[in-house]
Amino acid sequence: MSDALSAPGGPPAAPADGQPGQPARSGGSAALGWILTIGLNVVAPIITYNTLTENHGWSEFTALLAGSVWPVLDSAIMVAWRRKVDEFAVVTLVFLVITALVSLIGAHTARALLIKDSGVTGLFGLLCLVTLLAPRPLMFYFGRKFATDGTPASTAWWNGMWQFEGFRSTMRTMTLVWGVAYVAEALVRIGLAYTLSTATMVTLSPLMIYGVLGVLGVWTAWFGKRRAAEGARRQAEDQAAAAAGAAAGAGAGTGA
């Protein structure tokens, strides 16, 4: 598989297994896409939640609901800019709504809030696993979000990669690993919420969330490069075998 998870705006990955090379990406478009995605789906909801709850006395539910407006805005911008719905923003919005609903109907205790956070990451892991039964797994859409600049040529290249078995296998493996990791992380964090003090978990819980995310990010980059290298090696071996076969055939013809 091509290095599907190379940095935005970086050089196109070398093709492997007969796969088409990635078209050159617009650095400005890729950077703007990343800024909008991270800013509107991650930073803005967090700032909104903290500001409204800590400085204005809003309830957790209403603050989370207000923060969910930002992913909607991101989706609207992407539809207007690129004429397509952005799956990353949709998934973020879904989980913000789930979190708000859980906050509304759940018990309002410190432990309940800690368990709620674990439930959200656990639901994300389950979503990853469920999409393995879908035509395309969740990491295919996340990969398209972060490995392309959103232009028609770049998006068409990514979509076209699905025809290659190696690419499909890589996307499904990544989705499986992310799903299992987040389900396991949620179960461990729920168990710790019942055994450790609230003060300890307030510090430990975000460390676990971002620690698992960091490990998965590093593994994903390593795994994508490894698959790309394996594909390039298989391609070289196939070319060598074909050349040897052609040489043998030519030799046999000369001997005859």
Side-chain angles (χ1 to χ4, degrees):
M1 185 192 77
S2 299
D3 188 2
L5 298 176
S6 56
D17 292 341
Q19 299 172 6
Q22 180 180 1
R25 289 183 285 178
S26 167
S29 179
L32 182 58
W34 270 72
I35 291 172
L36 285 174
T37 295
I38 300 301
L40 295 178
N41 289 279
V42 179
V43 178
I46 292 174
I47 293 176
T48 299
Y49 172 80
N50 290 334
T51 301
L52 294 179
T53 55
E54 296 175 6
N55 300 335
H56 298 281
W58 285 38
S59 68
E60 183 180 53
F61 170 71
T62 53
L64 287 169
L65 195 59
S68 67
V69 171
W70 296 109
V72 175
L73 178 60
D74 183 36
S75 295
I77 291 174
M78 291 303 171
V79 169
W81 181 18
R82 295 170 177 169
R83 299 294 188 269
K84 70 181 183 68
V85 177
D86 183 77
E87 296 85 358
F88 183 87
V90 171
V91 170
T92 303
L93 174 61
V94 167
F95 277 95
L96 284 171
V97 172
I98 291 174
T99 302
L101 291 176
V102 172
S103 300
L104 179 66
I105 65 178
H108 294 272
T109 65
R111 179 172 291 168
L113 292 178
L114 291 171
I115 294 174
K116 175 208 68 179
D117 291 338
S118 302
V120 172
T121 56
L123 284 173
F124 174 77
L126 289 176
L127 178 62
C128 287
L129 298 178
V130 168
T131 61
L132 291 172
L133 304 176
R136 299 183 183 186
L138 187 61
M139 284 302 128
F140 170 84
Y141 299 104
F142 274 36
R144 187 172 68 186
K145 174 67 178 179
F146 293 106
T148 72
D149 59 8
T151 58
S154 185
T155 300
W157 163 79
W158 182 266
N159 292 340
M161 293 290 288
W162 188 253
Q163 66 183 297
F164 300 103
E165 191 280 332
F167 181 82
R168 296 194 299 269
S169 174
T170 299
M171 291 296 103
R172 291 191 176 109
T173 300
M174 288 180 175
T175 303
L176 175 63
V177 170
W178 278 69
V180 170
Y182 268 112
V183 169
E185 181 268 348
L187 292 175
V188 169
R189 203 143 49 92
I190 290 174
L192 291 176
Y194 280 99
T195 57
L196 301 178
S197 68
T198 299
T200 300
M201 282 304 298
V202 166
T203 301
L204 182 60
S205 185
L207 290 178
M208 291 182 65
I209 294 174
Y210 292 108
V212 170
L213 178 61
V215 170
L216 286 173
V218 171
W219 174 84
T220 299
W222 169 82
F223 185 69
K225 291 179 180 179
R226 176 186 174 187
R227 283 296 180 94
E230 290 175 351
R233 184 174 63 252
R234 285 194 300 269
Q235 183 181 25
E237 291 172 350
D238 290 343
Q239 291 174 345
T254 302

